Amino acid sequence: ISHDLGVVAGLADRVLVMYGGTVVENAPVDALYEHPLHPYTIGLLGAIPDIESETRLVSIDGSPPDLMQPLTFCPFASRCTYAFDRCWQELPTPIEHSHKHFVACFYDVANDQPREI
């Protein structure tokens, strides 16, 4: 378990990204780094320091959900720039986006549109 995806890349063959106690993305490590599909994964990857660059790290605005309450909607919705009405109404379940690459998100970041699921 780590928040440092830079370290994970060198140690794992497959990565499960969790947010709010739920798996939001599950993929082979190369697929996850080359084509992240969940907004939280994109945020984590944006926070990996690059010693050769002077660009600032990207932070994720907002606060995590209250896990003392049962989740009835996407746990990342309050922090997500892609969130729309459905995200606040249902808890997304993982779907297979491509071979062995699963994502639990109602928004298709690869095609920049809501998913039809």
Side-chain angles (χ1 to χ4, degrees), residues 2 33 35 37-38 49 52 61 71 76 78 84-85 88 90 92-93 105 116:
S2 176
Y33 283 78
H35 302 289
L37 299 175
H38 195 277
E52 296 177 8
D61 291 335
L71 289 174
F76 195 63
S78 68
F84 61 105
D85 290 345
W88 295 98
E90 300 175 52
T93 56
C105 186
E116 294 187 27

Side-chain angles (χ1 to χ4, degrees), residues 50-101:
D50 181 357
I51 60 173
E52 296 177 8
S53 173
E54 291 187 25
T55 58
R56 295 185 57 131
L57 298 180
V58 177
S59 65
I60 301 172
D61 291 335
S63 301
D66 177 4
L67 297 180
M68 297 302 288
Q69 304 299 320
L71 289 174
T72 58
F73 55 87
C74 176
F76 195 63
S78 68
R79 303 179 84 181
C80 184
T81 59
Y82 301 102
F84 61 105
D85 290 345
R86 187 175 182 189
C87 304
W88 295 98
Q89 298 166 355
E90 300 175 52
L91 184 62
T93 56
I95 60 157
E96 190 167 14
H97 179 270
S98 57
H99 184 66
K100 297 184 181 180
H101 192 157

Side-chain angles (χ1 to χ4, degrees), residues 12-54:
D13 295 325
R14 181 166 204 79
V15 180
L16 275 75
V17 177
M18 295 183 72
Y19 186 82
T22 64
V23 175
V24 296
E25 191 160 359
N26 173 353
V29 69
D30 290 340
L32 185 97
Y33 283 78
E34 291 171 17
H35 302 289
L37 299 175
H38 195 277
Y40 180 59
T41 307
I42 293 168
L44 287 177
L45 291 171
I48 297 173
D50 181 357
I51 60 173
E52 296 177 8
S53 173
E54 291 187 25

